[in-house]
Amino acid sequence: MKKGIRNLSLLLMFLLAGTFAKAQDADTTAESDDKAKDGATSIYEQWHDPQRFRLPPAVNQLLTDEVSPAISRDGKTLIFQSNRGKGWKGYGLYMTTRDDNGKWTKPTALESINSKAGDSTVISGPFLSYDGMSLFFSSNMEDTKGGMDLYVATRESMDGEFGEPTNLGDVNTADYQGFPTVSADGNRMYYMQRAEGAENNTDEAGSTEETESKSKSEKVWCYTAMVSSRSADNVWSAGEEVVGAMNEDCSKAFRIMPDGETMFYTSMKEGAKMQGHTKGIRADAKDFDLFMSRMEGESWGDPMAADFANHLSAEGYVSMAPNDGAHTVMYFDAAMNASREIFWTLVPPGFAPRKVMMARGNVEDSVTGEPVYTIMKFENQTRPSLGYDKYNDEETGKFSTVITEGNTYKVSIDHEDYLPYTFMWDFTNADEITNLYQRVRLVPKGVEVTVTLLDAIDEQPVDAKLTVKAADDTSIGDVEKAGTGKYEARLDPGQVYTLTAEATGNYMEEVDTLDLTQAQFGDKVNKILYMLDATKIKFDNINFRTARWDLNAEAKAELDKVYQFLTDYPKMKIRIEAHTDYRGGDSYNQRLSQNRAKSALDYLVSKGIPTERLESEGYGEAQPTVPNEVDGRANQANMAINRRVEFKIVR
């Protein structure tokens, strides 16, 4: 019987609460219409005469919680947490959109995420990234490290569905982590963690069932503001406690605004509802109230009570749409006796986040125009702790980030293959910034050299080893083989390099110089080295008249070819072999052949070839090329051929 009476009382309380909520919604709408007639709804009036506006029943469903609104940057998409259809233990995520007439549609469940949860699983604290492609939230799903973990789900396009949730890894611990928000540049995540020393209690999983008033006897949960940084490889770091007043009182619902420098949170800190004497609100009310803290330099400034939104009920979980019209609109939730509901209000100038702007660019090779994939360092010169590293797009070379008014940014690239590059974004004055698109053209560090090794006779590629040495005789280690007989290297301009090619078999070592004294960074230079196969090198024989060893014009012309070869290949040696026909005695012919060999050697020496590179030998009549006699008779033509000097390569 008592149980039936208690249930009937609870039902009556819910019905009365719903009637009150509808009446408040109607009264608020009527009051808003009256003030609109006399212009009293300016953002300045909002500060002196604070008002908030309840979202319509399509969003705020009777007797269910609608918590933690996450608004898109254009103010047209709202994602929130609710227990509709799940009882008081389970929570899921829902999305509604606003049409061109300002009407919010009926919310739909985000089933790609909600389907991963059981009836009592809590999916809470949604936050939509500035680009709208990532949805962060917290949950006690099965793969959590502790009571609650932080997750993210992404989508491929703005009208696409979010994919499966991914646990954010090292930022999560065995303790409670919940309600993440991320700076617009996507590199710092703020969230709340169970305050040190707090008792474990599963009832707080959704962070919507805590007591809203210190005057009641139920337990009040306090949390610590934490921050995590994302690396260029998209890994979130372990969290660190935020140093600021927000962690000095019983607080929660820490929400970073798009500028990354303004934080709203709810706290039992004293100092809120100071307008109580004019609004009939008890000035000593001890609910959770909204406060704002802003970064000044590298530190968080003193908190200010956001009394333009604070009423008697407990407020929390702020979200703002930076690009939604001329004025900043703030969404938040508040306790309405039986449940929590979502409201919106205009934000006074002193509480509005700083302006943010999207900055874009691309990185390309200054010579080829091709995209260059690289890590980029974004340094906030005004607030260095907010700097970060990120990669540009690997396929297109494009990059984008969000910059905040009042800051100067230094962006630098230090790629191993290119000269360092730096540019600035000065956003200290929103009216003066002009280079919101930065075309980065990287200059290659050195001269791009291509060396091709070819056979000197048939000009086919030769598979050989190439060594490149600088003027100080130090070897250059970054010569890359690009194919048979083809090598590529990036060399510093302003020097003369020595190229040495060595191949197996009968190929002779090829040495040449590469003069880059007039080259510039980014130039392209092609060099061909011709390699000689010793077995393919042939010189014409030198022939002599009978009993003579003097050189005629034809002999000198052929010796000039030998001289040029020895000049081109300074490590090669030549062997001079001289012969006679069969007329005369053996000793006479031996001396005659030696004189012929010496004539050729002396000529080459006179041209400047060192004697140590020359060998000579006379063979007399012992090695005829053709028979001296034909049909038993001396043959003059054959004997002329045998009176000769031959040249052979000595390696």
Side-chain angles (χ1 to χ4, degrees):
M1 181 67 178
K2 290 181 179 180
K3 182 176 181 182
I5 294 173
R6 184 169 59 251
N7 290 340
L8 179 59
S9 300
L10 182 60
L11 177 59
L12 289 173
M13 182 186 72
F14 285 167
L15 291 174
L16 289 173
T19 302
F20 172 76
K22 289 183 178 180
Q24 185 197 44
D25 186 35
D27 293 344
T28 301
T29 303
E31 183 179 2
S32 174
D33 291 341
D34 291 341
K35 287 187 174 293
K37 294 176 182 179
D38 59 13
T41 55
S42 72
I43 55 177
Y44 300 100
E45 284 289 338
Q46 286 291 308
W47 175 237
H48 297 295
D49 188 13
Q51 294 189 42
R52 60 187 187 180
F53 305 90
R54 180 183 182 274
L55 264 65
V59 177
N60 287 316
Q61 184 171 288
L62 182 64
L63 300 181
T64 61
D65 282 337
E66 281 73 44
V67 188
S68 187
I71 192 71
S72 62
R73 68 182 183 185
D74 62 1
K76 294 184 178 181
T77 300
L78 183 73
I79 299 176
F80 60 93
Q81 162 193 346
S82 178
N83 60 354
R84 55 183 65 192
K86 302 190 73 171
W88 292 100
K89 282 290 184 181
Y91 286 81
L93 302 184
Y94 295 81
M95 181 172 70
T96 177
T97 57
R98 189 179 68 183
D99 61 25
D100 293 337
N101 295 320
K103 183 179 179 180
W104 290 101
T105 62
K106 182 180 179 180
T108 57
L110 297 182
E111 288 299 338
S112 62
I113 298 173
N114 295 346
S115 62
K116 306 302 177 183
D119 291 339
S120 60
T121 301
V122 172
I123 302 177
S124 61
F127 177 81
L128 194 59
S129 63
Y130 186 79
D131 63 7
M133 305 303 286
S134 298
L135 180 62
F136 296 84
F137 59 93
S138 51
S139 180
N140 58 351
M141 294 180 181
E142 292 183 356
D143 62 343
T144 58
K145 295 183 179 180
M148 291 283 280
D149 276 8
L150 304 179
Y151 290 82
V152 66
T154 60
R155 58 185 176 182
E156 297 296 327
S157 63
M158 290 298 293
D159 57 355
E161 292 187 0
F162 289 100
E164 292 193 5
T166 301
N167 190 293
L168 288 183
D170 291 343
V171 67
N172 293 311
T173 69
D175 209 340
Y176 173 102
Q177 289 82 33
F179 294 81
T181 55
V182 180
S183 57
D185 60 27
N187 293 288
R188 290 173 73 81
M189 177 171 61
Y190 293 82
Y191 59 96
M192 64 189 212
Q193 184 166 294
R194 179 71 57 75
E196 185 177 358
E199 295 181 32
N200 183 33
N201 188 328
T202 57
D203 287 345
E204 44 61 65
S207 293
T208 61
E209 297 178 281
E210 303 94 332
T211 302
E212 275 90 22
S213 173
K214 287 184 179 178
S215 62
K216 299 180 182 180
S217 60
E218 290 89 342
K219 185 182 294 296
V220 174
W221 291 102
C222 307
Y223 295 83
T224 301
M226 304 291 290
V227 61
S228 170
S229 299
R230 178 155 54 182
S231 70
D233 296 319
N234 200 30
V235 176
W236 290 100
S237 67
E240 297 180 358
E241 185 173 335
V242 176
V243 179
M246 65 284 295
N247 280 329
E248 296 175 358
D249 298 280
C250 184
S251 305
K252 62 180 180 178
F254 312 100
R255 313 291 280 178
I256 196 68
M257 296 299 103
D259 62 1
E261 302 172 12
T262 304
M263 179 185 291
F264 279 80
Y265 63 98
T266 186
S267 177
M268 285 190 169
K269 175 183 175 63
E270 295 182 354
K273 300 187 177 75
M274 298 306 292
Q275 82 285 11
H277 65 283
T278 62
K279 296 297 294 181
I281 301 174
R282 300 194 328 271
D284 61 346
K286 297 297 183 181
D287 297 318
F288 278 100
D289 292 308
L290 290 175
F291 288 81
M292 184 273 287
S293 178
R294 199 188 306 275
M295 287 192 78
E296 302 297 341
E298 288 281 73
S299 303
W300 288 99
D302 294 334
M304 297 173 58
D307 281 351
F308 64 92
N310 290 326
H311 281 232
L312 185 59
S313 56
E315 293 80 20
Y317 304 105
V318 169
S319 183
M320 293 191 187
N323 300 346
D324 185 16
H327 307 305
T328 304
V329 180
M330 182 176 89
Y331 295 80
F332 60 99
D333 63 64
M336 298 303 294
N337 293 326
S339 63
R340 297 189 70 87
E341 297 181 347
I342 298 174
F343 292 80
W344 71 270
T345 187
L346 295 178
V347 182
F351 286 84
R354 297 180 171 110
K355 294 180 181 179
V356 295
M357 298 185 75
M358 181 72 76
R360 299 178 174 87
N362 70 291
V363 184
E364 62 187 48
D365 187 296
S366 63
V367 178
T368 66
E370 292 296 316
V372 177
Y373 179 55
T374 184
I375 192 169
M376 307 177 69
K377 181 178 290 293
F378 294 81
E379 298 177 80
N380 189 320
Q381 303 289 284
T382 312
R383 282 171 259 281
S385 64
L386 301 184
Y388 54 90
D389 296 344
K390 68 181 298 185
Y391 284 97
N392 63 335
D393 186 83
E394 186 171 5
E395 293 184 2
T396 65
K398 294 181 178 179
F399 63 91
S400 64
T401 191
V402 176
I403 58 177
T404 300
E405 185 179 18
N407 295 304
T408 300
Y409 299 84
K410 176 183 177 182
V411 186
S412 56
I413 298 173
D414 189 10
H415 193 290
E416 62 180 358
D417 293 332
Y418 296 89
L419 296 178
Y421 191 102
T422 300
F423 67 91
M424 304 292 292
W425 272 322
D426 187 350
F427 198 12
T428 53
N429 188 327
D431 296 328
E432 295 181 2
I433 186 168
T434 57
N435 62 327
L436 286 176
Y437 191 94
Q438 184 73 28
R439 183 186 181 190
V440 177
R441 305 183 74 245
L442 297 182
V443 178
K445 272 187 177 178
V447 178
E448 189 176 326
V449 176
T450 300
V451 179
T452 304
L453 308 179
L454 300 178
D455 186 288
I457 305 301
D458 57 23
E459 296 190 354
Q460 293 300 307
V462 177
D463 192 13
K465 174 185 176 183
L466 179 68
T467 302
V468 181
K469 289 187 177 182
D472 58 1
D473 204 36
T474 56
S475 179
I476 306 299
D478 56 351
V479 179
E480 181 180 352
K481 188 175 183 180
T484 301
K486 187 175 183 179
Y487 293 84
E488 294 176 348
R490 194 177 296 276
L491 305 176
D492 291 334
Q495 296 192 53
V496 177
Y497 296 86
T498 300
L499 309 179
T500 303
E502 298 175 280
T504 58
N506 295 308
Y507 281 101
M508 296 179 291
E509 181 183 83
E510 177 70 14
V511 179
D512 202 349
T513 58
L514 179 65
D515 188 349
L516 299 182
T517 54
Q518 302 301 316
Q520 303 294 323
F521 284 110
D523 285 354
K524 288 186 175 183
V525 174
N526 293 312
K527 179 76 173 180
I528 298 177
L529 296 186
Y530 291 100
M531 302 193 68
L532 288 172
D533 182 344
T535 61
K536 299 179 181 179
I537 300 173
K538 301 293 183 182
F539 295 105
D540 292 337
N541 295 338
I542 296 176
N543 298 109
F544 297 85
R545 290 175 292 175
T546 303
R548 303 288 295 269
W549 57 84
D550 55 313
L551 302 173
N552 58 24
E554 291 182 0
K556 291 180 180 180
E558 191 62 27
L559 283 168
D560 286 341
K561 295 179 183 178
V562 176
Y563 162 75
Q564 188 61 52
F565 169 78
L566 292 173
T567 301
D568 292 340
Y569 298 93
K571 292 186 177 182
M572 301 305 299
K573 295 181 179 180
I574 289 288
R575 180 180 179 84
I576 302 170
E577 297 180 350
H579 305 270
T580 67
D581 59 29
Y582 75 139
R583 291 176 296 182
D586 291 344
S587 59
Y588 172 80
N589 285 335
Q590 181 63 32
R591 288 193 303 274
L592 180 59
S593 64
Q594 289 175 346
N595 287 336
R596 289 173 174 170
K598 187 175 183 302
S599 294
L601 185 146
D602 289 344
Y603 182 85
L604 293 173
V605 170
S606 70
K607 299 277 287 185
I609 302 301
T611 55
E612 57 267 22
R613 297 182 58 197
L614 302 172
E615 297 178 7
S616 65
E617 184 66 49
Y619 292 93
E621 60 186 82
Q623 298 180 8
T625 299
V626 292
N628 287 292
E629 293 182 355
V630 176
D631 297 331
R633 299 178 63 180
N635 187 290
Q636 296 297 323
N638 284 3
M639 287 189 291
I641 293 173
N642 290 330
R643 297 191 297 271
R644 71 196 187 279
V645 166
E646 298 175 340
F647 304 96
K648 293 185 177 180
I649 305 296
V650 180
R651 298 194 67 180

